Amino acid sequence: MGEEAALSSRRVAWIRLAMVVPLFMAGRQPAEGSYADWFGGLLVAYLAWAVGRLMWIQRRPVADVRGAAGALVVDLAMITALAAVSGGPDSPVRYAYFLWATATVLWQMPRVTAVFGAACVVCYAVMSVPHALSHPAEESWDIVVDEAYLLWTVGAAVLIAVLLARRSLRVAELLDTRELLLDDALAAETRERSRVADSLHDGAVQTLLAALHDLEEAEEGVTDPAARAALDRAQSEVRGTVREMREIIFNLHPQILAAAGLGAALEAAGERFARRGGFRVHYDVRLPGRVGHETLLYSAARELLRNIVKHARATDVWMTLVTEGDETVLTVRDNGAGFDPRVVQDRLRAGHIGLASHYMRVESAGGRFAVDSAPGGGTTIEVRLPTAAPGPPPAVP
C-alpha cells in the first residue's frame, strides 16, 4: 500500500478506538442470558486490541493489505461476540456492523469494501441464528429488515468507494500530465537558455575580447599619460563587462550541471553568490549519483541564494542535498533577517515571480516546498522532489 493507503489505515485505527465509546454505551443496557456478564471482559479486550492496533499502525510507515484485512476480521469477530452476549439481534451493538461496512470506504478499494461488507452481512446473520431458531417467524422479521438495511449500506459503500477510486485515479492522471507539461516547459527553457548562452559566448564576449586585444595593442604606441590613462580605463571597463557577461552565461546555462552533476553545480553557484553576498556557505552534499529534476533543484537553489544576497543580510548559509527514500531533499538555511512565510503566496497572487514561481514549479513537479522563517529568526527552506528521473513527454501525433 502507498502513502495514501497507510494514512487511511491510521484513520481506520482511530475510528476503531473511537468505536469503544458507543460499544460501552450499548453495554449499559441490561441483557438477559447466561452470557451477559461476559460483555465487560470482551469490551476490555476490544479496547486493548484497538489501542494495540493504533500503536502498531502509528509506528509502521506503511500498512499492508493483508494486515489491514486481518485486523478487520478481528473486529468482526469481537463485534459479533459482543452482540451475541448482549442480546443478539436486539442488542444496540448490531449497529456496529453498519459502521464498519462504511469505514472501509476510506481505503478507496471497492473490492475490499464489498468483501468486508459481505462479511458483515454474514456475521450479522450468524449472530442472529440462535434468536431466529428460538422465536416465531413473525418475531424474526426485524432481523430480515436489518439485513436489508445492511445490504443497502454495503451497496452504497461500494458505490462510494468506486467513485472515490475513480476520482483519485483521475487526479493522479492530471498530476502526471501536469508534471509532464512542466518537464517539457523546463526542457524548452533549458534549450533556450543554452541557445542564448552560446550566442552571447560566441558573439558578444568574443567581440569584447577582440576589442580588449585592440586596446592593449593601441596602448603600446601611446606615450601621452592622459591617453594611456584613458586606454587603461577603457580596458578595465571591457574586462569588467566580460566578467559580467560570463557570469550571465553561467547563470543562463551552467555547463558544470551537465558535466559534473547537481552537487558540483550547487557548490559552484554557492561560491559565486557567497562572494557577492559576503557570507560563508557550508555544504553537506550526499547523492548516490544523478537524480531526477536536477535542473529544477539547481534553479530553486540559485533563487534561494539570490534572495539571501538581496534580503537576508546573512553571515552563514548551510546547504544540504541528500536523498531520503524516493525523494531528493534540498535544504537551504541562513542566519539572516528572516521574513513572514505568507509573503510567498501574497507575491504569487500579486503576479511577482522568483521564489513564488519556484514554489509553484516544485509543487507542479510532484514535490513539496516548505518555508520556515520569521522576522529576525533566519530562514530554512526545504525542497523535496522525486529522486527518480521523470519520464519523457508523450509523442505528439
Side-chain angles (χ1 to χ4, degrees):
M1 299 172 70
E3 182 178 350
E4 289 297 325
L7 179 60
S8 297
S9 292
R10 293 188 181 98
R11 291 169 177 169
V12 170
W14 280 106
I15 290 174
R16 176 184 293 108
L17 182 61
M19 188 172 285
V20 174
V21 176
L23 289 176
F24 171 77
M25 297 175 66
R28 293 182 62 85
Q29 179 178 342
E32 298 179 359
S34 57
Y35 300 104
D37 295 337
W38 289 28
F39 187 89
L42 288 171
L43 185 60
V44 171
Y46 188 79
L47 175 61
W49 153 249
V51 172
R53 181 63 181 173
L54 177 61
M55 294 176 62
W56 175 264
I57 290 295
Q58 292 291 87
R59 292 176 180 176
R60 289 175 59 89
V62 177
D64 59 278
V65 176
R66 293 181 179 179
L72 292 175
V73 169
V74 175
D75 289 317
L76 279 182
M78 299 197 74
I79 288 171
T80 300
L82 286 168
V85 301
S86 61
D90 295 329
S91 170
V93 175
R94 69 185 188 275
Y95 298 121
Y97 292 110
F98 294 82
L99 300 177
W100 269 121
T102 57
T104 56
V105 171
L106 290 172
W107 276 302
Q108 300 181 30
M109 298 179 181
R111 292 183 179 179
V112 173
T113 301
V115 171
F116 188 74
C120 287
V121 174
V122 172
C123 288
Y124 181 78
V126 171
M127 182 268 298
S128 304
V129 166
H131 182 278
L133 295 177
S134 60
H135 291 75
E138 59 273 9
E139 295 184 13
S140 302
W141 182 248
D142 289 343
I143 298 175
V144 177
V145 174
D146 281 351
E147 285 278 24
Y149 276 120
L150 185 54
L151 283 170
W152 183 92
T153 302
V154 171
V158 171
L159 178 60
I160 294 173
V162 169
L163 295 176
L164 290 176
R166 289 180 178 176
R167 188 189 67 172
S168 297
L169 180 61
R170 179 58 178 162
V171 170
E173 291 174 348
L174 291 174
L175 289 175
D176 290 341
T177 301
R178 185 177 68 171
E179 184 172 349
L180 288 173
L181 291 174
L182 175 65
D183 294 335
D184 190 53
L186 288 176
E189 179 182 344
T190 301
R191 290 192 298 269
E192 183 63 19
R193 284 174 172 267
S194 177
R195 187 189 66 79
V196 174
D198 291 341
S199 297
L200 290 175
H201 180 271
D202 297 337
V205 172
Q206 299 305 318
T207 300
L208 288 171
L209 290 175
L212 181 61
H213 181 69
D214 292 341
L215 289 172
E216 291 173 346
E217 288 186 345
E219 187 180 22
E220 295 177 357
V222 176
T223 58
D224 182 44
R228 290 184 65 88
L231 286 172
D232 288 339
R233 288 194 300 272
Q235 292 178 44
S236 177
E237 291 294 333
V238 172
R239 290 191 184 98
T241 303
V242 170
R243 285 195 299 270
E244 292 178 1
M245 293 293 291
R246 285 174 171 167
E247 182 79 15
I248 293 173
I249 291 171
F250 179 85
N251 289 332
L252 281 172
H253 188 65
Q255 298 295 334
I256 190 173
L257 179 60
L262 180 58
L266 288 183
E267 292 185 11
E271 294 307 316
R272 286 173 176 266
F273 283 102
R275 289 193 296 269
R276 290 167 54 186
F279 50 77
R280 296 180 298 273
V281 184
H282 311 273
Y283 303 98
D284 180 13
V285 178
R286 289 172 281 132
L287 290 180
R290 304 307 290 258
V291 297
H293 301 290
E294 286 189 344
T295 302
L296 183 54
L297 284 165
Y298 174 79
S299 178
R302 191 174 58 191
E303 181 64 29
L304 297 178
L305 290 169
R306 183 179 293 111
N307 281 337
I308 292 174
V309 172
K310 290 182 178 180
H311 309 295
R313 302 190 300 277
T315 59
D316 288 276
V317 175
W318 293 265
M319 186 179 298
T320 303
L321 183 66
V322 298
T323 56
E324 295 181 1
D326 57 353
E327 292 182 322
T328 303
V329 184
L330 168 68
T331 305
V332 179
R333 179 170 63 91
D334 67 69
N335 63 349
F339 63 94
D340 186 346
R342 290 176 295 184
V343 171
V344 176
Q345 291 294 339
D346 292 341
R347 290 183 65 83
L348 181 62
R349 285 190 290 267
H352 297 285
I353 59 175
L355 186 63
S357 68
H358 283 83
Y359 175 91
M360 294 303 298
R361 285 184 174 187
V362 170
E363 294 285 332
S364 298
R368 286 173 287 174
F369 194 109
V371 179
D372 182 12
S373 183
T379 301
T380 300
I381 296 182
E382 182 182 84
V383 178
R384 289 178 173 267
L385 281 164
T387 298
V396 179

